[in-house]
Amino acid sequence: MPDAPPAAELVFEDRLPVIRRYADLLAGPGTQRGLLGPREVERIWDRHLLNCGVLAPAIAARSTVCDVGSGAGLPGIVVAIARPDLRLTLLEPLLRRAEFLSETVDVLELSNVEVVRSRAEDHSGAYDVVTARAVAPLSRLARVALGLCRPGGSVLAMKGERAAAELDEARPELAKLGVVESAIERLGEGLVPIPTTVVRLVAGEPKRRRPPGQGRNRRGGSGSARGV
């Protein structure tokens, strides 16, 4: 595995020793358990650690963060290392991945992280920020992630070259979900070789459902409102 590039010190500063230990865990047990492909080891810094590390400054101080579909901990573990002031919940439904996350949290002594084995759809919570990397198309991800945001909270969806196209395609769905602001941000420009593209969605107030019996059917009579 290659050593940390010069940009890693700029991104992680005094947390560089911890992120190096995490890199070793990804390249060793993470690869052996199939959480990271063998070919990814040679590009673990640029493609994975730096790519996720530049996300950390985009999150306000002392925020609560939920990382959806955390997998091997990208970006959740990286953000937790870079920002000890944040409280991270790592959501991962698969047992072998959740076990790796829990072991990693223990080895790295990350007291600001909780690992929860659950699907995002089955998890309850209201977070300041919800992060996701390569989980699902934006329209589908938004339906789940926005449900975990407090009003005014943000979804930070790490995307690639299709970020703008995905955002355009998702706009009708985002309007239905009450998104009050959306933007594409490129993080780490001038700091890392390849900037990270993020779609930021800001959650509005959740839409309230009508109590049973308060809706109207098409003929003008009373009816029950259907849940979304």
Side-chain angles (χ1 to χ4, degrees):
M1 185 183 73
D3 195 11
E9 188 171 357
L10 298 176
V11 172
F12 296 105
E13 299 179 341
D14 62 337
R15 303 293 285 169
L16 184 58
V18 185
I19 202 71
R20 276 187 169 134
R21 292 176 67 193
Y22 177 49
D24 289 339
L25 291 172
L26 285 176
T31 301
Q32 294 162 11
R33 299 185 192 184
L35 277 68
L36 194 71
R39 294 181 181 179
E40 297 301 307
V41 173
E42 289 301 312
R43 48 187 181 177
I44 198 168
W45 285 100
D46 290 346
R47 185 179 176 89
H48 299 290
L49 301 180
L50 293 178
N51 177 259
C52 294
V54 295
L55 183 68
I59 301 174
R62 296 180 294 280
S63 293
T64 57
V65 182
C66 181
D67 188 33
V68 171
S70 198
L74 303 165
I77 293 274
V78 179
V79 171
I81 291 171
R83 293 287 303 279
D85 63 299
L86 304 176
R87 296 294 308 176
L88 275 289
T89 298
L90 309 183
L91 283 187
E92 174 52 54
L94 295 183
L95 178 59
R96 64 186 176 89
R97 294 177 181 174
E99 287 178 341
F100 175 80
L101 291 172
S102 296
E103 293 167 12
T104 299
V105 168
D106 289 342
V107 170
L108 301 181
E109 300 180 339
L110 300 177
S111 60
N112 60 331
V113 178
E114 177 186 15
V115 178
V116 177
R117 188 186 169 204
S118 173
R119 298 194 320 153
E121 296 89 336
D122 300 327
H123 182 66
S124 61
Y127 297 89
D128 299 317
V129 176
V130 176
T131 59
R133 182 181 192 242
V135 171
L138 187 61
S139 57
R140 181 149 47 95
L141 171 65
R143 289 195 292 270
V144 175
L146 287 164
L148 296 172
C149 274
R150 64 166 179 79
S154 296
V155 174
L156 298 180
M158 300 176 68
K159 293 291 181 179
E161 297 178 353
R162 291 200 72 254
E166 281 198 45
L167 181 56
D168 285 342
E169 292 166 3
R171 288 193 188 281
E173 182 69 19
L174 299 181
K176 294 177 184 177
L177 293 170
V179 170
V180 296
E181 183 181 341
S182 61
I184 294 176
E185 302 177 6
R186 288 179 172 82
L187 308 177
E189 289 186 326
L191 187 64
V192 296
I194 304 174
T196 298
T197 302
V198 170
V199 178
R200 183 188 291 268
L201 308 175
V202 179
E205 292 287 343
K207 295 181 178 180
R208 296 181 179 179
R209 296 179 182 177
R210 292 178 177 178
Q214 296 299 308
R216 289 279 182 181
N217 61 25
R218 293 182 179 178
R219 296 182 180 179
S222 298
S224 298
R226 297 184 63 184
V228 177

